[in-house]
Amino acid sequence: MSSPDVRSFTVGPVQENCHIVRADAQAKRAVIVDPGDEPERLLQAAEALGVEIEAILLTHCHFDHIGAVAPVAEATGAPVYCPEIEVPILANIMAFVPWEGFGPFESYEADETVKGGEALELAGLELDVVFTPGHSPGHVTYSVRGEDAIFSGDVLFQGSVGRVDLPGGDGPTLMESIRTLLDSHPDETVVYPGHMGTTTIGAERATNPFLAVLAG
Ligand SMILES: [Fe+2]
């Protein structure tokens, strides 16, 4: 097992984590996960790394994860992979922002859709798409095959789990999604979440109080 080179950027007023991911620190191609805001900063980061963005991957379509999709897609020409049932949200972002004072964000018509079960080969990475609903109805997790890393959006956090009170959210569904991730990844798997710090499957399995209901 090895680890991909991951650069994480916390962006926007909701402090969302966007990740630029490549196979290793010499790789010239990368994918970007959840460009939520601050497109210029993300594009400058990619340029500073000397990488070409080969794809834009979305875990789900809450505005804080997709606010920079359109400008990043337009600047890079990279295709956007969007959870299938959340495509209408990406295509009309401002209609789905639940609070005042955010945006405006530019909408985008997804180039590709994912729903879980796909195996993607992008930027020299093999990515398994795992359906992980509960925080949002179409939420997916991107698991880097053979590299012990997952990009899990707002499913599992360091010491916490995703909220389920937004439209389409459901608590028991979220816990089943977390169980799927725990059952299919070893303890050393690094979890790159959509908010707060990086963690591991093992650390959350051992200490996350919200996961106690999954034990036994
Ligand atoms: Fe979210």
Side-chain angles (χ1 to χ4, degrees), residues 50-94:
V51 296
E52 182 176 335
I53 299 296
E54 189 165 302
I56 298 165
L57 305 180
L58 306 181
T59 62
H60 68 298
C61 287
H62 286 156
F63 73 91
D64 53 321
H65 291 250
I66 59 175
V69 166
V72 170
E74 284 155 16
T76 62
V80 175
Y81 289 70
C82 180
E84 188 171 45
I85 63 176
E86 300 188 13
V87 165
I89 303 174
L90 183 64
N92 192 8
I93 297 177
M94 293 312 295

Side-chain angles (χ1 to χ4, degrees), residues 175-176 178-179 182 210-216:
M175 297 314 291
E176 277 309 305
I178 293 172
R179 183 194 299 277
L182 295 182
F210 293 90
L211 306 193
V213 295
L214 297 178

Side-chain angles (χ1 to χ4, degrees), residues 60-65 135-136 139 153-154 157 163 166 195:
H60 68 298
C61 287
H62 286 156
F63 73 91
D64 53 321
H65 291 250
H135 170 71
S136 75
H139 196 299
D154 291 357
F157 298 125
R163 63 191 292 178
L166 295 170
H195 299 277

Side-chain angles (χ1 to χ4, degrees), residues 16-191:
E16 185 264 343
N17 295 331
C18 170
H19 311 280
I20 296 177
V21 188
R22 53 186 170 165
D24 58 59
Q26 279 71 49
K28 295 298 180 195
R29 299 180 295 153
V31 300
I32 187 166
V33 181
D34 288 354
D37 207 337
E38 302 183 47
E40 290 305 324
R41 181 178 163 211
L42 298 173
L43 291 167
Q44 284 169 11
E47 188 177 334
L49 291 170
V51 296
E52 182 176 335
I53 299 296
E54 189 165 302
I56 298 165
L57 305 180
L58 306 181
T59 62
H60 68 298
C61 287
H62 286 156
F63 73 91
D64 53 321
H65 291 250
I66 59 175
V69 166
V72 170
E74 284 155 16
T76 62
V80 175
Y81 289 70
C82 180
E84 188 171 45
I85 63 176
E86 300 188 13
V87 165
I89 303 174
L90 183 64
N92 192 8
I93 297 177
M94 293 312 295
F96 293 90
V97 176
W99 304 290
E100 298 289 326
F102 296 99
F105 303 112
E106 187 183 341
S107 296
Y108 191 85
E109 293 287 343
D111 300 289
E112 306 283 345
T113 62
V114 288
K115 59 185 179 185
E118 296 88 354
L120 307 177
E121 286 192 35
L122 297 166
L125 298 162
E126 288 186 294
L127 299 152
D128 289 312
V129 185
V130 185
F131 187 44
T132 50
H135 170 71
S136 75
H139 196 299
V140 298
T141 290
Y142 297 94
S143 175
V144 186
R145 188 179 297 175
E147 300 228 27
D148 282 353
I150 61 173
F151 298 88
S152 53
D154 291 357
V155 172
L156 178 62
F157 298 125
Q158 192 173 41
S160 188
V161 299
R163 63 191 292 178
V164 294
D165 60 334
L166 295 170
D170 182 71
T173 302
L174 179 72
M175 297 314 291
E176 277 309 305
S177 292
I178 293 172
R179 183 194 299 277
T180 298
L181 293 180
L182 295 182
D183 287 351
S184 56
H185 292 87
D187 279 349
E188 57 269 30
T189 304
V190 179
V191 178

